[in-house]
Amino acid sequence: MLAHSTTPPAEALSARQQAIVTISALTAKGDLPHLHDALAKGLDAGLTVNEEKEVLVHLYAYCGFPRSLQGLNTLLKVLDERKTQGKKDVIGKAASPITSTAPKYERGKRVLEQLSGQPEKEPKTGYAAFSPEIERFLKEHLFADIFERDVLTYQERELTTIAALVSLGGVEPMLQGHLSIGLHTGLTDAQLLQLMGVTEAAVGKKDADAGRVVLNQVLAGRKK
């Protein structure tokens, strides 16, 4: 079973989940004016300050420090404005300390296997064989340092990741992989289709339609 990850299947994304998708898509696109409004709406929809902050921190692994830092600065601006308006936003829980003494590479490998439901392939091929250092960075940092933080569930992290990849475009193999992971964490076909609609509202039809093509391929593959 996935640690701190699954929620019961639902027919539609909740308001909180839709807020995560919108924030992620706009951060990846670098659309700060609309991100400003989306962050405020996310707080109103029930996201805590730490949850929104965690979404923005998570995204640096997928769209780089510049987008992530700009997003965090935008969140700071939103919080300052809301404070002057007399709004009291819930800070929320911080990440629990990691107590495991296992090597980070092994922890990251285990997390990835939980996420995908598949054992690691050996021997390494493709980029992992060509650049073993980046394969180690992925395991130790992305899947250990970041995914192990329990401010967001695995499912929420996949919503964050998928929305960002759709918005970025041109990363179809990664999007395909994370759509499959999203399904493994309990997201339904209907929720992923809705995610594309929420992303379209945020960043436009072209990116969303490209995402729908990949999603349809993933769903068709599951039915074979």
Side-chain angles (χ1 to χ4, degrees), residues 38-202:
L39 289 165
K41 290 178 180 177
L43 293 167
D44 291 335
L47 289 174
T48 68
V49 173
N50 279 341
E51 286 170 339
E52 290 201 343
K53 183 169 66 174
E54 192 74 17
V55 167
L56 298 169
V57 170
H58 178 98
L59 285 171
Y60 102 81
Y62 293 94
C63 50
F65 275 116
R67 291 284 193 252
S68 180
L69 295 176
Q70 287 285 74
L72 288 166
N73 284 332
T74 303
L75 177 56
L76 281 170
K77 183 178 179 181
V78 168
L79 294 174
D80 286 342
E81 291 172 354
R82 289 168 69 87
K83 185 176 181 181
T84 63
Q85 295 165 3
K87 295 181 179 180
K88 295 182 179 180
D89 293 307
V90 178
I91 299 300
K93 72 172 185 178
S96 302
I98 302 299
T99 58
S100 174
T101 57
K104 283 202 294 185
Y105 183 88
E106 294 304 319
R107 284 166 30 210
K109 178 181 176 181
R110 185 165 59 246
V111 168
L112 180 56
E113 288 177 339
Q114 289 179 317
L115 285 165
S116 66
Q118 301 291 329
E120 275 284 287
K121 293 181 179 180
E122 297 290 349
K124 304 297 183 187
T125 60
Y127 76 82
F130 181 65
S131 177
E133 50 277 290
I134 201 165
E135 195 270 340
R136 179 165 292 277
F137 294 160
L138 280 167
K139 295 292 193 307
E140 293 185 347
H141 185 45
L142 176 59
F143 292 110
D145 286 339
I146 297 178
F147 267 84
E148 280 188 321
R149 290 169 57 82
D150 60 0
V151 178
L152 299 175
T153 66
Y154 286 165
Q155 189 177 99
E156 289 166 339
R157 289 189 184 279
E158 285 309 311
L159 287 171
T160 301
T161 302
I162 292 166
L165 294 177
V166 172
S167 185
L168 286 171
V171 289
E172 287 77 10
M174 293 77 181
L175 176 58
Q176 186 175 30
H178 280 282
L179 286 167
S180 295
I181 290 173
L183 289 163
H184 188 63
T185 66
L187 292 169
T188 65
D189 298 9
Q191 286 176 315
L192 289 174
L193 286 167
Q194 185 184 1
L195 180 152
M196 298 301 169
V198 174
T199 304
E200 178 176 336

Side-chain angles (χ1 to χ4, degrees), residues 1-19:
M1 295 294 293
L2 300 182
H4 64 78
S5 60
T6 57
T7 57
E11 291 302 315
L13 296 173
S14 68
R16 290 177 77 262
Q17 290 173 318
Q18 291 182 59

